[in-house]
Amino acid sequence: MTYTEELTRFVAIMKEELMDSLTGIYLHGSLAMGCFHASSSDMDLLIIVEEPIAKHTARKIISRVVELEKNQSSKRGYEFSIVKGQVLKPFQYPTPFELHYSESHRDRYEYDPEYVCGGGEDKDLAAHFVVALERGLCMYGDPLSDVCDPVPREAYVDAIYYDIQDAKNGILDEPVYKVLNLCRVLMFLQDGVVASKQEGGEWGIHHVPNDYQAMIEGCLYAYKHGTSITHVNENAALSFADHMLKEIERLRSS
């Protein structure tokens, strides 16, 4: 199946299960921004509803998405959150959500028929909605700008900082993710541009000290080709994370 066909099936599931409560479905992330890789990228979506989701409906959605993923070309499958429209006008931060699904929850969803990740708040949603508003695609419903107020800048900055604040602890385990994310956060704080990880890395090559250029290029190559990095120079990686976090902190507090 093509990505268009896969997304069409996903949209059909949401329409069938959420029925009249469904307001809209919006694609964001790498697939919307033109840097998707089937081996390493999620298919990222936001779903807006009018009413709370009953647990049996949430479990039905989960079961159908798990089954859908078995025949998908994307290894990681879907990552989506369902939120009520009421929390978007005005935009609430941290943002409450009704249901969340991703690869990291898949195993538990499969072995635990009672498990539902929902009813909490998620800081990451502010970042997702910014991307969806600026660069996303409407898969169903009205334009997102009609149903979601602009995300306050301070909420977006806090959300993207929240995602990278532990970079010194995680960069050795996830060098590609951490290096490119640090670049795109600094890119936003310096230039005001909402970027993909790939675009952040491409920006970083020209705007980060030359000492770190080879590491950024290596991570960017791995990301573009959907591969991983099995070894990274520990001193260089920690030095890069320290430098970037100091620059981000400086701009964030200015």
Side-chain angles (χ1 to χ4, degrees), residues 33-53:
M33 292 191 283
C35 51
F36 181 85
H37 299 284
S39 61
S40 57
S41 300
D42 301 300
M43 300 176 77
D44 300 297
L45 296 113
L46 296 166
I47 299 132
I48 301 174
V49 295
E50 294 182 6
E51 303 295 335
I53 301 175

Side-chain angles (χ1 to χ4, degrees), residues 141-200:
D142 294 328
L144 183 57
S145 57
D146 289 353
V147 296
C148 179
D149 283 351
V151 177
R153 186 182 188 278
E154 59 270 23
Y156 178 62
V157 171
D158 189 69
I160 58 177
Y161 177 75
Y162 173 76
D163 193 42
I164 55 86
Q165 63 183 336
D166 68 340
K168 284 189 283 189
N169 294 325
I171 197 166
L172 299 179
D173 295 327
E174 297 181 293
V176 175
Y177 183 83
K178 296 297 184 183
V179 166
L180 301 185
N181 256 349
L182 284 164
C183 288
R184 71 171 172 178
V185 171
L186 187 58
M187 181 182 180
F188 176 78
L189 291 173
Q190 284 194 7
D191 296 349
V193 176
V194 176
S196 66
K197 288 191 286 291
Q198 179 173 313
E199 292 163 344

Side-chain angles (χ1 to χ4, degrees), residues 57-73:
T57 300
R59 285 299 318 185
K60 185 72 176 297
I61 289 170
I62 291 163
S63 296
R64 294 188 67 181
V65 170
V66 167
E67 192 63 29
L68 179 64
E69 286 182 332
K70 293 178 180 178
N71 298 308
Q72 296 258 137
S73 55

Side-chain angles (χ1 to χ4, degrees), residues 202-231:
E202 291 167 347
W203 177 91
I205 289 172
H206 302 288
H207 294 83
V208 173
N210 289 338
D211 290 348
Y212 307 119
Q213 183 170 339
M215 183 167 55
I216 297 172
E217 288 177 342
C219 290
L220 190 58
Y221 179 90
Y223 183 81
K224 287 182 175 180
H225 292 81
T227 59
S228 59
I229 292 179
T230 56
H231 175 74

